[in-house]
Amino acid sequence: MGTVIMHSVASLDGFIADGNDDVGPLHDWYFSGDTPITEGGDRQYDHSGTGSAFRVSKASAEYVRSMWEAIGAIVMGRTLFDLVNGWEGRPPAGDHVVVVSHRPKPEGWHPEASYHFVDDVAAAIEKAQELAGERTIGVNAGEVGGQILAAGLVDEVAMDVVPVVFGSGKRYFGSINGQHQLEDPHVVIQGDRVLHLKFNVRR
């Protein structure tokens, strides 16, 4: 099975958006560099749904490119799906998306896209593993990501830390309870206005 990586951009105090789901300056680094993430031109939908092309610093491009190329499936919550309208059926990475939701896929929504709706986080990871095979499963941080971590189903935590303090908002780990130990970071890459970190989850 592929590695399960929980990932998102976060403020220094651990928020992925404010209380109104606005990411503010968290994603500015995606569009402020001179290097495209993908060689053939980037997909047009970022996590905030602005539709701008990704251009980052060289250090960030190498890191993000290798991570995105490894992803076979993404697991996301219904809130993010609704906010970005599922990236219009074209996820920024991977070929498949699993949405954790008690509501079904909107009727008639991009029937050509490999999007699968399940109502349980364990079932979501199982479906993503089936779809991704040996490739990586990317789990979006937030409430669903925190539930998947709490269930012991996350192998790595990846954070793109931006030098801004939000003070309040939507937490990277959601409303997770209890302590969860991580190993020392095995990836530390400084980009332009972002620090890329990766931690293995301690078993």
Side-chain angles (χ1 to χ4, degrees):
M1 294 294 182
T3 302
V4 178
I5 301 179
M6 181 178 173
H7 171 255
S8 191
V9 183
S11 65
L12 280 177
D13 51 348
F15 294 100
I16 58 174
D18 68 15
N20 297 316
D21 292 306
D22 187 346
V23 297
L26 289 180
H27 293 177
D28 288 356
W29 65 274
Y30 271 127
F31 314 108
S32 61
D34 55 11
T35 307
I37 293 172
T38 60
E39 299 294 345
D42 290 316
R43 302 185 193 195
Q44 294 296 305
Y45 292 90
D46 71 294
H47 291 272
S48 59
T50 64
S52 301
F54 295 113
R55 298 187 74 84
V56 299
S57 68
K58 186 174 185 295
S60 289
E62 292 173 356
Y63 169 76
V64 175
R65 184 181 299 139
S66 65
M67 196 154 126
W68 284 10
E69 286 175 350
I71 290 174
I74 289 175
V75 176
M76 68 191 302
R78 185 59 180 255
T79 299
L80 180 58
F81 175 87
D82 288 341
L83 282 171
V84 300
N85 196 29
W87 302 299
E88 299 297 341
R90 296 180 295 166
D95 300 315
H96 313 279
V97 174
V98 180
V99 182
V100 180
S101 175
H102 294 297
R103 291 178 285 136
K105 180 162 64 173
E107 188 174 349
W109 184 89
H110 291 286
E112 79 288 352
S114 180
Y115 278 57
H116 308 266
F117 286 62
V118 299
D119 62 3
D120 173 80
V121 294
I125 294 299
E126 183 178 356
K127 184 64 176 178
Q129 288 174 329
E130 173 192 323
L131 294 165
E134 295 301 313
R135 299 180 71 195
T136 298
I137 295 161
V139 174
N140 284 107
E143 287 296 334
V144 165
Q147 291 172 27
I148 293 171
L149 177 67
L153 300 172
V154 172
D155 300 309
E156 287 184 348
V157 170
M159 302 180 78
D160 299 323
V161 182
V162 173
V164 61
V165 175
F166 270 33
S168 64
K170 303 296 177 71
R171 294 195 164 278
Y172 182 97
F173 293 102
S175 52
I176 190 172
N177 291 317
Q179 292 187 5
H180 298 269
Q181 293 284 326
L182 309 180
E183 301 294 346
D184 290 336
H186 61 92
V187 172
V188 180
I189 297 171
Q190 182 176 337
D192 183 10
R193 300 292 297 169
V194 63
L195 179 66
H196 306 288
L197 301 171
K198 263 190 176 184
F199 308 81
N200 287 324
V201 176
R202 183 173 290 179
R203 300 298 188 190

